[in-house]
């Protein structure tokens, strides 16, 4: 989401932009939480879907920041893979 990277840079200068970024991140967390909380066949729900949703959002937004800091695509993929593996197993 390029929006996050651009908006967060401007957020320090505008309370309105900061509130909008916070609302967008909260909404994203809620979307992930709802999906994690929904029945998914035989797959068990995580013990704490809210905390898991927060971790997923924080990691994906952190990856966006790392991308902007010119981390290699390979290292970003490894981080994403580690997140998925730690949540879902290998």
């Amino acid at each position: 989401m390029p929006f996050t990277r651009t908006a967060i840079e401007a957020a320090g200068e505008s309370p309105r932009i900061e509130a909008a970024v916070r609302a967008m991140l909260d909404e994203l967390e809620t979307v992930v939480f709802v999906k994690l909380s929904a029945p998914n066949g035989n797959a068990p729900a995580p013990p704490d879907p809210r905390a898991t949703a927060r971790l997923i959002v924080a990691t994906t937004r952190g990856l966006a920041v790392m991308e902007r800091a010119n981390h290699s695509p390979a290292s970003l993929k490894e981080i994403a893979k580690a997140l998925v593996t730690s949540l879902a197993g290998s």
Side-chain angles (χ1 to χ4, degrees):
M1 284 183 177
F3 170 79
T4 304
R5 292 186 304 242
T6 303
I8 205 67
E9 290 169 359
E13 298 176 25
S14 170
R16 191 170 139 222
I17 294 173
E18 183 178 351
V21 171
R22 183 176 298 274
M24 186 271 307
L25 292 171
D26 289 345
E27 183 177 334
L28 183 56
E29 181 183 313
T30 297
V31 168
V32 175
F33 167 74
V34 168
K35 182 64 176 171
L36 290 172
S37 299
N40 186 16
N42 293 332
D48 186 343
R50 179 60 71 184
T52 303
R54 194 168 292 130
L55 174 63
I56 291 168
V57 171
T59 303
T60 57
R61 297 302 77 225
L63 287 170
V65 171
M66 292 174 73
E67 176 188 32
R68 185 148 181 131
N70 295 318
H71 285 258
S72 73
S75 70
L76 300 175
K77 286 179 184 178
E78 284 299 314
I79 294 167
K81 181 179 175 184
L83 174 66
V84 171
T85 301
S86 68
L87 294 175
S90 53

